[in-house]
Amino acid sequence: MTATPASPSSDKRVLLAAPRGYCAGVDRAVIAVEKALEQYGSPIYVRHEIVHNKYVVQTLEKKGAIFVDETAEVPEGSIVMFSAHGVAPTVHQEAAERRLATIDATCPLVTKVHKEAVRFANEDYDILLIGHEGHEEVIGTSGEAPDHITLVDGPDDVENVTVRDDSKVVWLSQTTLSVDETMETVDKLKEKFPKLISPPSDDICYATQNRQTAVKQMGAEADLVVVVGSKNSSNSVRLVEVALGAGAKDAHLVDFADEIDEAWLEGVSTVGVTSGASVPEVLVEGVLEWLAQRGFEDVEIVKAAEESITFSLPKELRRDLRAEAAALGENR
Ligand code: SF4
């Protein structure tokens, strides 16, 4: 099918979510790999995808990053970076045993959940961790207190949950879940364990929440929502679900514009566009261009929140960058 040019009376429009794309944790992790490559040279090993996005991973590979599944694959004495999703303490131990220099790019908001898990485990709570089985973040958080944590994978899993003492139970969650589904799970858990206590502050992070709020606002008006993101990106997959839940007639996840199926546009006048927290804006621009070529040139922003959060680089990297800057200063 060929692209349809826009007509002056076209009712075709795009609703573009704001905020969308990179969150502070992803931005920091990607910059950390780039700075590490500049500072130490190639290769820099990265355990697991630094963030769940195909394009980002491919781009960093071209610059000299090597992605591995396990620390055991990293040659002794090399530099390894841990991804934004966080790792269990056993992974730090393995790295130390292999004499690896580590750079920990775990998002500070994931670290916050790790610390909560450790604190509640030290106080001998049973911790009900709401999250998706097998997700890297859940594996990392569970590893902080394996004897105290039980995974609850959504509302349907609640009936299987047992605890040692129902007067000492707390729930925590993965940072990238659907806010509404998580609250449904929490409500069911509270019915079962009325003394269940909540985390001191939201575990689902600001970026996940804001992207879901924006997609909800556009959902009811959209015939189609295109979410830019990778299939292994939890927060991106949630955006598709939230869009459909908010009333969008159709919603799809694509890594790149060329994955959009022309057939999705049949009878469509309003297309919502958003992107997951690990998606660079260039990929959204590609989708907007693809849509514009098919008459969807009119773009309206649907703004749900302002974001100004930033995180400083991992401490190991900051230390070495500072040392190099100081050495350069002395040599001047
Ligand atoms: S989605 Fe949230 S928790 Fe995950 S890296 Fe981004 S800010 Fe951190």
Side-chain angles (χ1 to χ4, degrees):
M1 194 186 282
T2 51
T4 316
S7 69
S9 59
S10 170
D11 59 354
K12 292 176 177 178
R13 63 174 182 154
V14 172
L15 300 178
L16 181 60
R20 63 183 175 279
Y22 270 18
C23 60
V26 165
D27 196 40
R28 167 188 191 255
V30 174
I31 294 173
V33 179
E34 291 170 344
K35 290 270 180 208
L37 284 164
E38 279 169 32
Q39 176 73 11
Y40 312 112
S42 170
I44 296 290
Y45 291 85
V46 184
R47 187 182 180 277
H48 294 172
E49 294 189 348
I50 185 77
V51 298
H52 284 153
N53 185 267
K54 212 187 260 186
Y55 175 88
V56 171
V57 168
Q58 287 168 356
T59 306
L60 292 173
E61 271 174 340
K62 281 183 200 142
K63 293 183 179 177
I66 296 178
F67 292 87
V68 295
D69 287 332
E70 292 306 332
T71 318
E73 295 168 51
V74 181
E76 291 210 5
S78 306
I79 300 173
V80 65
M81 189 172 301
F82 297 138
S83 76
H85 310 102
V87 295
T90 49
V91 175
H92 284 282
Q93 285 158 19
E94 283 163 22
E97 283 160 16
R98 293 181 66 73
R99 295 183 304 102
L100 304 178
T102 58
I103 301 172
D104 189 355
T106 303
C107 175
L109 299 181
V110 174
T111 303
K112 179 193 80 108
V113 183
H114 282 221
K115 286 183 176 160
E116 287 170 351
V118 171
R119 175 161 78 82
F120 284 110
N122 287 342
E123 292 174 23
D124 204 27
Y125 275 82
D126 272 356
I127 301 164
L128 305 180
L129 177 64
I130 303 172
H132 295 302
E133 189 164 11
H135 190 278
E136 282 157 41
E137 183 188 320
V138 162
I139 294 169
T141 306
S142 300
E144 292 285 1
D147 297 337
H148 286 81
I149 292 181
T150 301
L151 179 66
V152 186
D153 195 345
D156 296 340
D157 206 14
V158 171
E159 60 181 341
N160 305 318
V161 178
T162 56
V163 295
R164 292 170 304 157
D165 173 0
D166 64 9
S167 67
K168 219 166 173 193
V169 194
V170 60
W171 69 272
L172 301 178
S173 85
Q174 189 180 329
T175 56
T176 51
L177 300 180
S178 150
V179 176
D180 293 340
E181 191 186 276
T182 302
M183 291 327 293
E184 197 187 324
T185 307
V186 171
D187 288 345
K188 278 194 156 187
L189 285 171
K190 280 189 173 156
E191 273 171 33
K192 191 164 178 174
F193 308 113
K195 292 185 179 156
L196 179 75
I197 64 167
S198 301
S201 61
D202 285 346
D203 285 343
I204 298 179
C205 77
Y206 78 97
T208 301
Q209 295 194 29
N210 288 345
R211 280 149 192 72
Q212 288 176 17
T213 305
V215 96
K216 259 189 206 172
Q217 286 179 14
M218 68 165 57
E221 287 185 63
D223 303 307
L224 165 71
V225 171
V226 176
V227 178
V228 188
S230 291
K231 292 188 176 48
N232 61 346
S233 160
S234 173
N235 79 88
S236 303
V237 175
R238 302 289 84 76
L239 288 174
V240 173
E241 295 168 358
V242 171
L244 292 169
K249 295 193 185 83
D250 195 10
H252 295 275
L253 186 65
V254 297
D255 261 302
F256 303 101
D258 62 11
E259 291 175 11
I260 303 174
D261 188 336
E262 301 270 1
W264 298 345
L265 293 181
E266 268 167 39
V268 164
S269 57
T270 301
V271 181
V273 175
T274 187
S275 55
S278 47
V279 177
E281 188 62 8
V282 65
L283 300 181
V284 176
E285 285 162 9
V287 166
L288 294 176
E289 208 177 295
W290 189 97
L291 288 168
Q293 286 165 1
R294 287 150 181 85
F296 292 87
E297 288 168 308
D298 173 18
V299 179
E300 291 170 35
I301 306 288
V302 176
K303 190 166 194 157
E306 290 279 356
E307 289 182 351
S308 54
I309 293 180
T310 56
F311 296 130
S312 53
L313 287 170
K315 61 178 186 310
E316 308 85 350
L317 197 50
R318 267 185 287 144
R319 177 199 60 208
D320 291 351
L321 290 170
R322 263 200 314 267
E324 189 185 74
L328 284 173
E330 277 169 20
N331 291 336
R332 248 185 223 136

